[in-house]
Amino acid sequence: MNYVLVGNSAAGLFAAESIRQQDSSAEITVLTADTYPSYSRCLTTYYMAGDIPETQLFLRSAEALQALRLTVHYGCSVSGLDPTHRVVFAASGEHYSYDKCLIATGASAVSLEIPGSTLPEVFTLRHLDDVQQIKAIVAPGRQAVIIGGGLVSLKSAYALLKQGLKVHVVVSSGQILSQMLNEEAAKLLQEHLVKHSLNIVLNQDVTAIEGIGHVQAVRLRSGMNLPADLVIVGKGVRPNTQPFLTSGLTIRQGILVNEHLETNLPDVYAAGDVAEAWDRLHQTQRLNPIWPNATTQGRIAGANMSGLALTYPGSMGMNAVDFFGLRIISVGIVKPPTSPPWRTENLYLQHGSGHPTYQRLVWQGETLKGFVLVGNTERAGTLTALIQANQPLSEPIRNTLRRGKPSSVLPYLRANVS
Ligand SMILES: Cc1cc2nc3c(=O)[nH]c(=O)nc-3n(C[C@H](O)[C@H](O)[C@H](O)COP(=O)(O)OP(=O)(O)OC[C@H]3O[C@@H](n4cnc5c(N)ncnc54)[C@H](O)[C@@H]3O)c2cc1C
C-alpha cells in the first residue's frame, strides 16, 4: 500500500507511526515544506527563553526515525491534489501517487497588514526558523512589542523577558488569553506577569510600526508610541487549506472530516490544525488547533488509513502553561452562556502573597463541562476525566469538587469512567 502524508509535524508524524505499526510493508512518503525533522512547536519558545537546548525540540531520535522507514521529502511544498488520478502535486513540478493520502498541513500564523509590517524585525512565530531569526537579534536591554494576547504571544513574551528584554504586550480586547481563560483567571495571570516586569496594554490596537529600514517604535490607536527593536505579531492562526481549494474537498474554515477522520474524497484523510473535526463539548465539527488534538487525530487517521475503523472521540480545548512558576490549566468550556442550565463556580483558595490559587468549574446542569485551575493544578487529571465522562454528577460529588477536594471522587471515577 502506498501512503502519502502531507505534513511532518504532530499529526503527520503520529499518523506515520500508526501506519507503520499496522502495516510493516507500507510505502510511506512524507512531503513537508519544513526543512527540519519533526519538532515540537510548543517548545520553541522555551528554546528561545534559553530553558532548553535546540536538541530537545526534536520529537524522535534519528534511530527511531530510521526504524519507521519513511521516505521524507523536506522543503517540498505541495500545491494540489487530484482525487481522480490519486495524485498529489508539488510546487516543484513533481507528483506523488497515493493509495491513501493524509493532509496534515497544519496552520500558518496570521500576519498584520499595517504600515511598517514588512520591516525586517517584524515576525510571526510559527516555525523554528522564525525562532532562530528572533534569537539572532535579541539582547538584554532591547525592547520588544508583542501584538496580541493569546498563548503564542504570552509564551513569546515570557521567552523575551527571560532573555532580559523590556517587553510590551498589546491586546485589542480587555483581557489576556481570552480564548483560554475567564476574566478572573486572566487577571491573576496578568498580575503575576506584571510582577515579572511585563508591560500589558489592554483595549488598544496597533496602527503602525515605525522606523526607517529598521523597527523603532509601535504606534497605538491612542496616539501613544511604544519603543521597539523587534515586533512579534500573535494574531492567531489560519489552516493551510490553500493547496486544496480546487481539489473537491469540502472546506469550511478547515477541511471537514467525519468521525473516522475521512474527508469527503475517497481515501483522503485530514488531521491536526488543518482539520475541522468533531468537538465533543460543542457537539459540532470545528477547528481546535492544539497539539494534543493533532497527535490524537494523526494517530487515529493513520490507523484508519491502514485498515482499522477507530472512532475519533472528539476534540476538547485544553491548554497548560507555566510562567515563572505559576501554573495554569484550562480545559473545555470556560466562558459558558450566562443563562441556565449553565452555571459557574469560582473559588479563590489563596490570593495575596505568593502564587494565587484559584479554581473555576463550569457546569451545564449537573454535568461538568470545563474548568480553570491557577496555581495548584494537581486536580486537572480528575476534572478532565469527569468532563470526558460527560455524565451528571451527584450532589456529594459536586460538593467535593466545589470545595477543591476531588480526591474523594476517585472511587466514582474508577467505577464509571473507563
Ligand atoms: C510557538 C507555538 C507555541 C505553541 N504552544 C502550544 C501549547 O502550549 N499547547 C498546545 O496544545 N499547542 C501549542 N501550539 C500549537 C501546536 O503547535 C499545533 O497545534 C500543532 O503543531 C499542530 O500540528 P499539525 O501537525 O496539525 O500542524 P503543524 O505543526 O502546523 O505542521 C504542519 C506540517 O505541514 C507542513 N506543510 C504545511 N503546508 C504544506 C504544504 N503546502 N506542502 C507541504 N507541507 C506543508 C509543514 O511543513 C509541517 O510539517 C503552539 C504553536 C506555536 C507555533
Side-chain angles (χ1 to χ4, degrees), residues 210-417:
E210 303 195 328
I212 301 164
H214 294 283
V215 168
Q216 285 175 329
V218 159
R219 194 186 318 141
L220 305 182
R221 191 167 301 286
S222 64
M224 191 182 153
N225 268 11
L226 292 172
D229 300 297
L230 76 112
V231 172
I232 298 179
V233 177
K235 296 301 263 183
V237 295
R238 192 171 292 138
N240 291 324
T241 56
Q242 307 85 327
F244 310 104
L245 292 179
T246 57
S247 63
L249 279 168
T250 304
I251 299 174
R252 295 195 300 202
Q253 282 179 291
I255 298 171
L256 216 58
V257 290
N258 67 11
E259 70 277 23
H260 301 300
L261 302 170
E262 295 163 316
T263 69
N264 62 308
L265 297 179
D267 298 317
V268 179
Y269 295 68
D273 284 7
V274 76
E276 272 190 54
W278 184 251
D279 180 299
R280 61 164 87 197
L281 293 176
H282 290 92
Q283 293 283 297
T284 182
Q285 283 139 308
R286 72 203 298 260
L287 296 172
N288 254 305
I290 57 170
W291 188 267
N293 292 335
T295 53
T296 307
Q297 288 174 23
R299 187 175 51 73
I300 292 180
N304 290 343
M305 290 166 78
S306 46
L308 299 185
L310 303 186
T311 299
Y312 179 58
S315 306
M316 207 161 73
M318 57 172 82
N319 271 298
V321 290
D322 180 340
F323 293 122
F324 303 105
L326 180 65
R327 288 181 177 201
I328 302 188
I329 295 189
S330 102
V331 174
I333 295 173
V334 297
K335 288 181 170 175
T338 47
S339 53
W342 290 94
R343 204 171 77 253
T344 63
E345 290 169 348
N346 302 294
L347 178 68
Y348 286 92
L349 296 164
Q350 183 193 314
H351 191 196
S353 62
H355 286 168
T357 309
Y358 165 85
Q359 166 181 288
R360 173 183 181 83
L361 302 179
V362 176
W363 300 94
Q364 187 184 28
E366 290 150 6
T367 307
L368 188 64
K369 292 289 180 178
F371 70 86
V372 177
L373 296 175
V374 178
N376 183 345
T377 56
E378 279 167 16
R379 289 151 281 159
T382 306
L383 294 173
T384 304
L386 288 170
I387 296 175
Q388 283 167 337
N390 195 28
Q391 288 170 15
L393 300 173
S394 66
E395 174 54 25
I397 289 180
R398 295 200 311 270
N399 200 28
T400 310
L401 297 177
R402 192 175 294 139
R403 288 185 287 117
K405 295 198 168 78
S407 54
S408 49
V409 176
L410 290 177
Y412 167 86
L413 272 177
R414 282 189 203 105
N416 293 281
V417 183

Side-chain angles (χ1 to χ4, degrees), residues 6-13 31-36 39-46 76-79 104-108 125-127 131 151-152 155-156 237 240 243-244 271-275 288-295 318-321:
V6 189
N8 190 32
S9 182
L13 175 69
L31 309 175
T32 174
D34 273 334
T35 50
Y36 299 93
Y39 63 92
S40 167
R41 291 182 203 281
C42 309
L43 292 181
T44 52
T45 50
Y46 297 106
C76 171
S77 185
V78 163
S79 56
T105 45
S108 293
L125 204 166
R126 182 73 190 176
H127 306 289
V131 175
L151 185 63
V152 172
K155 288 176 81 169
S156 306
V237 295
N240 291 324
F244 310 104
D273 284 7
V274 76
N288 254 305
I290 57 170
W291 188 267
N293 292 335
T295 53
M318 57 172 82
N319 271 298
V321 290

Side-chain angles (χ1 to χ4, degrees), residues 85-130:
H85 300 97
R86 293 173 172 257
V87 170
V88 170
F89 301 104
S92 61
E94 300 290 312
H95 63 275
Y96 302 87
S97 300
Y98 65 83
D99 297 314
K100 306 263 181 177
C101 176
L102 174 73
I103 300 172
T105 45
S108 293
V110 172
S111 49
L112 261 193
E113 307 294 326
I114 55 172
S117 57
T118 56
L119 285 166
E121 299 87 7
V122 180
F123 302 94
T124 53
L125 204 166
R126 182 73 190 176
H127 306 289
L128 185 47
D129 281 339
D130 301 328

